[in-house]
């Protein structure tokens, strides 16, 4: 199938951004995981200011992760549709099929890792928010 050059550039850019989104999902989850570990080890982590800052940071980074996940899902459609013409044929022609296989294994691992981190982080942040709410209720009662 003959693809016009301008359309080919758009597909190629989509594929690059799709790869970036995949890495960003995993990297944002890992980064926040390390921030969470630092938060948990802080002596003053139960202070209102530290907790509020952490929650705001989590919410901001969640937007980045969601954007990445949406790009992976939406950008994956044209990538899948034009996969054979863009990636597979080139890989076969240049003897790079093993590299393409490794790339896809890593991409799936990155997405899986990112989703795992974000699910664990969401649970932990909900626990933090719940304990903050219970502290607010206790202070109102006392």
């Amino acid at each position: 199938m003959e693809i016009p050059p301008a359309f080919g550039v758009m597909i190629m850019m989509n594929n690059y951004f799709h790869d970036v989104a995949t890495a960003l999902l995993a990297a944002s989850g890992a980064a926040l995981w390390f921030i969470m570990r630092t938060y948990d080890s802080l002596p003053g982590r139960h202070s209102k200011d530290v907790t509020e800052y952490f929650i705001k940071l989590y919410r901001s980074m969640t937007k980045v992760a969601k954007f990445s996940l949406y790009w992976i899902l939406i950008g994956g459609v044209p990538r899948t549709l034009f996969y054979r013409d863009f990636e597979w044929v080139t890989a076969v022609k240049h003897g790079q099929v093993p590299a393409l296989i490794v790339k896809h294994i890593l991409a799936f691992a990155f997405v899986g890792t990112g989703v795992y981190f974000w699910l664990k982080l969401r649970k932990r942040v909900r626990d933090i928010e719940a304990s903050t709410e219970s502290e607010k209720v206790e202070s109102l009662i006392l």
Side-chain angles (χ1 to χ4, degrees):
M1 174 167 122
E2 187 65 31
I3 297 174
F7 188 68
V9 169
M10 289 182 355
I11 295 297
M12 185 178 69
M13 293 307 295
N14 174 72
N15 292 352
Y16 289 144
F17 290 134
H18 188 264
D19 290 344
V20 169
T22 299
L24 189 57
L25 179 65
S28 64
L32 197 59
W33 182 268
F34 289 115
I35 292 168
M36 169 76 72
R37 290 181 60 196
T38 302
Y39 169 80
D40 285 338
S41 68
L42 288 173
R45 73 176 183 270
H46 295 292
S47 77
K48 179 183 172 191
D49 292 339
V50 172
T51 300
E52 284 179 4
Y53 179 75
F54 175 75
I55 298 296
K56 285 179 185 177
L57 183 63
Y58 167 81
R59 289 183 180 148
S60 296
M61 289 187 72
T62 298
K63 290 175 187 173
V64 171
K66 284 182 179 180
F67 178 80
S68 296
L69 188 57
Y70 296 149
W71 190 280
I72 291 166
L73 296 173
I74 295 167
V77 172
R79 188 169 199 167
T80 301
L81 292 174
F82 295 100
Y83 177 79
R84 202 182 85 162
D85 295 326
F86 261 82
E87 293 183 70
W88 182 253
V89 171
T90 304
V92 169
K93 188 188 322 182
H94 292 85
Q96 297 176 338
V97 172
L100 191 60
I101 292 169
V102 169
K103 174 186 159 185
H104 283 91
I105 290 170
L106 288 173
F108 279 103
F110 282 177
V111 170
T113 300
V115 169
Y116 171 78
F117 276 133
W118 281 102
L119 291 174
K120 296 292 273 186
L121 289 165
R122 182 176 65 181
K123 181 185 180 319
R124 179 71 176 102
V125 167
R126 285 183 177 165
D127 291 346
I128 292 169
E129 288 174 327
S131 69
T132 303
E133 288 300 315
S134 66
E135 288 174 12
K136 286 179 186 176
V137 170
E138 284 178 20
S139 67
L140 291 174
I141 293 171
L142 300 175

